[in-house]
Amino acid sequence: MIYLYPETATTVAVNLKTVGNLTFSYPLLSEGWNVTAHPDGTLTCNGKNYPYLFWEADQLVQHPFGSNTFEGFNVAGKDAVAFLEEKLTLMGFNDHERTDFITFWGPQLAANEFNNVTFQFNETCDQYATLTIEPKPQNVNRVYMIWRKADASVLNQTITPQDLPVLNRSGFDVLEWGGIEVDDVEL
């Protein structure tokens, strides 16, 4: 999901180039999205209002959990919502963004006994898609959660807790968040 927060109502062109096949977008992405973005985050496209731009693609992911040691978190399914609330708040997601993220990913994490979770940021997300935005925002914050279902064997893993950045939300600010579930078949 892509959120745009200009300081004044601004006509914005957002171009997305995915790695892999784009499977869904809303509003429909053709040659890019051309929207009027408002300071409260409302986006107007073709006469309709939207809270964000959405895209999804089929993609291959470099598996970050290939060994028993990784940087990230083990998250019990029963603790998924509290974990996401804490980490997203720490990074600087607002209430609306945090709610969207949790209602999208929370049920999937909560359905598992345990999960391995790691986050990727900004330029690292270019391996999934690139964004070009005109006029250029002061800050583009990209956050992708990569996760997999795990079992009790995660209690034997050595995990380095991941340092999460506080996002710079000043000026014309853009937040894009996404995520990818991987499974052991993708190792």
Side-chain angles (χ1 to χ4, degrees):
M1 293 189 194
I2 303 168
Y3 304 83
L4 306 169
Y5 301 101
E7 294 181 297
T8 60
T10 305
T11 300
V12 180
V14 179
N15 290 301
L16 172 77
K17 183 174 181 183
T18 63
V19 176
N21 294 321
L22 184 69
T23 58
F24 187 81
S25 64
Y26 188 75
L28 183 63
L29 176 68
S30 54
E31 297 296 314
W33 287 292
N34 292 302
V35 301
T36 300
H38 302 273
D40 68 355
T42 302
L43 306 174
T44 304
C45 182
N46 298 322
K48 296 181 182 175
N49 291 332
Y50 301 89
Y52 48 76
L53 304 171
F54 181 87
W55 66 271
E56 192 168 85
D58 285 332
Q59 301 178 313
L60 293 176
V61 177
Q62 185 155 31
H63 203 308
F65 310 112
S67 70
N68 275 345
T69 303
F70 69 92
E71 188 174 302
F73 307 94
N74 279 332
V75 181
K78 66 182 179 56
D79 299 328
V81 170
F83 167 81
L84 292 173
E85 285 176 343
E86 174 191 350
K87 300 308 181 194
L88 299 174
T89 299
L90 173 81
M91 286 186 268
F93 279 52
N94 68 32
D95 293 340
H96 180 85
E97 298 156 352
R98 191 171 47 254
T99 298
D100 290 345
F101 192 104
I102 291 169
T103 56
F104 191 90
W105 291 114
Q108 295 177 60
L109 295 176
N112 303 322
E113 183 180 12
F114 294 100
N115 304 277
N116 294 138
V117 175
T118 191
F119 293 93
Q120 296 178 343
F121 301 95
N122 301 326
E123 292 82 16
T124 306
C125 300
D126 287 348
Q127 66 186 306
Y128 310 113
T130 56
L131 283 177
T132 306
I133 302 170
E134 291 295 331
K136 186 175 178 168
Q138 278 89 357
N139 294 291
V140 177
N141 297 290
R142 301 178 78 195
V143 180
Y144 285 26
M145 181 179 75
I146 313 301
W147 66 280
R148 74 171 176 179
K149 176 181 178 179
D151 58 28
S153 69
V154 300
L155 301 175
N156 299 323
Q157 290 178 310
T158 302
I159 295 165
T160 303
Q162 186 176 16
D163 287 328
L164 302 176
V166 176
L167 307 175
N168 186 340
R169 305 302 302 266
S170 64
F172 175 13
D173 170 50
V174 174
L175 172 69
E176 178 195 22
W177 64 256
I180 300 170
E181 177 184 13
V182 296
D183 59 40
D184 289 332
V185 173
E186 297 179 58
L187 283 171

